[in-house]
Amino acid sequence: DQQVKQNSPSLSVQEGRISILNCDYTNSMFDYFLWYKKYPAEGPTFLISISSIKDKNEDGRFTVFLNKSAKHLSLHIVPSQPGDSAVYFCAASGSGSARQLTFGSGTQLTVLP
Amino acid sequence: DTAVSQTPKYLVTQMGNDKSIKCEQNLGHDTMYWYKQDSKKFLKIMFSYNNKELIINETVPNRFSPKSPDKAHLNLHINSLELGDSAVYFCASSEGLAGLPNTGELFFGEGSRLTVL
């Protein structure tokens, strides 16, 4: 039973355009959400996070949107750059039994020059 | 200077063998983890140690035994390797417990790809 789902295994976007990566979750106890970025042969690195008390968090070209009623979050990258090509993991945590971080399966983003 | 380092990066071995993966962090973090990335690419927590004490032990076969000689090291020993153990194993550390805002950011090692033949 996967509590964090990234249904798109891959996404290709033209350089300069917007990349939108999606993530759905099922556990209503989740209250903190993160995105990690992973390059080949490297470990994941933290990118951006959002608490459930917010619906948007922005950091430079990266914005995360949270829709609690839909149990959905998305990561927007604008403008996309070739260096953004990587696997993006969505992760979530919450209170009680949901405290440990639960990861999705990742989305491979390819930004075409 | 690598923050979280794990060795070896690649490991190819036969079924039934015993192998170890070592992990060290120089970030001064109190909490360390082992994650497994399986064939479906999910990153799943296996173990978590806080100051050398086991705090999370997911449903992992007892062939897997973590050992933390000090808070900067968390090694993973696997007995009687099976084909299904083939995966990439990531070590990670965090200041506080993973998933907590601010202090829960995970710092990952580069991963160790284990192939069991």
Side-chain angles (χ1 to χ4, degrees), chain A residues 2 4-6 31-32 34 36 38 41-46 51 89 93-94 99-106, chain B residues 9-10 35 37 40-45 56 58 90 97-102 104-111:
Chain A
Q2 301 303 332
V4 178
K5 300 177 185 178
Q6 295 176 257
D31 58 14
Y32 187 57
L34 307 90
Y36 278 78
K38 183 185 178 305
E42 294 184 11
T45 55
F46 171 74
S51 164
F89 288 97
S93 68
R99 175 44 64 196
Q100 64 178 277
L101 211 50
T102 301
F103 284 86
S105 56
Chain B
K9 288 189 70 173
Y10 300 96
Y35 280 83
Q37 187 178 29
K40 294 184 179 178
K41 305 300 182 187
F42 286 97
L43 276 164
K44 294 183 178 176
I45 183 80
I56 293 175
E58 285 300 298
F90 287 96
L97 193 60
L100 285 175
N102 300 321
E105 179 186 338
L106 287 171
F107 291 79
F108 284 89
E110 294 180 332

Side-chain angles (χ1 to χ4, degrees), chain B residues 42-68:
Chain B
F42 286 97
L43 276 164
K44 294 183 178 176
I45 183 80
M46 299 175 68
F47 302 102
S48 174
Y49 270 71
N50 180 269
N51 266 318
K52 303 192 299 176
E53 299 293 325
L54 180 66
I55 56 172
I56 293 175
N57 182 354
E58 285 300 298
T59 309
V60 175
N62 55 17
R63 297 182 295 104
F64 290 77
S65 54
K67 285 187 172 52
S68 182

Side-chain angles (χ1 to χ4, degrees), chain A residues 2 4 8 12 15 17-18 25 35 38-39 47 50 52 69 94 97 101-102 104-105 108:
Chain A
Q2 301 303 332
V4 178
S8 297
S12 290
E15 181 178 4
R17 299 288 187 101
I18 185 171
Y25 61 96
W35 286 93
K38 183 185 178 305
Y39 291 116
L47 184 60
I50 188 167
S52 62
S69 60
S97 61
L101 211 50
T102 301
S105 56
Q108 170 70 58

Side-chain angles (χ1 to χ4, degrees), chain A residues 2-108:
Chain A
Q2 301 303 332
Q3 298 184 63
V4 178
K5 300 177 185 178
Q6 295 176 257
N7 292 319
S8 297
S10 62
L11 174 69
S12 290
V13 170
Q14 209 68 37
E15 181 178 4
R17 299 288 187 101
I18 185 171
S19 296
I20 300 176
L21 296 98
N22 293 304
C23 178
D24 297 295
Y25 61 96
T26 58
N27 192 334
S28 56
M29 299 295 286
F30 287 147
D31 58 14
Y32 187 57
F33 305 89
L34 307 90
W35 286 93
Y36 278 78
K37 177 179 180 180
K38 183 185 178 305
Y39 291 116
E42 294 184 11
T45 55
F46 171 74
L47 184 60
I48 192 170
S49 64
I50 188 167
S51 164
S52 62
I53 61 174
K54 294 185 173 181
D55 54 20
K56 175 183 173 181
N57 188 26
E58 193 171 351
D59 183 2
R61 296 185 298 113
F62 302 90
T63 303
V64 57
F65 294 92
L66 175 62
N67 183 334
K68 288 187 290 294
S69 60
K71 293 192 177 67
H72 177 83
L73 65 155
S74 60
L75 175 68
H76 293 211
I77 307 173
V78 56
S80 301
Q81 299 173 355
D84 296 329
S85 297
V87 176
Y88 289 79
F89 288 97
C90 174
S93 68
S95 56
S97 61
R99 175 44 64 196
Q100 64 178 277
L101 211 50
T102 301
F103 284 86
S105 56
T107 297
Q108 170 70 58

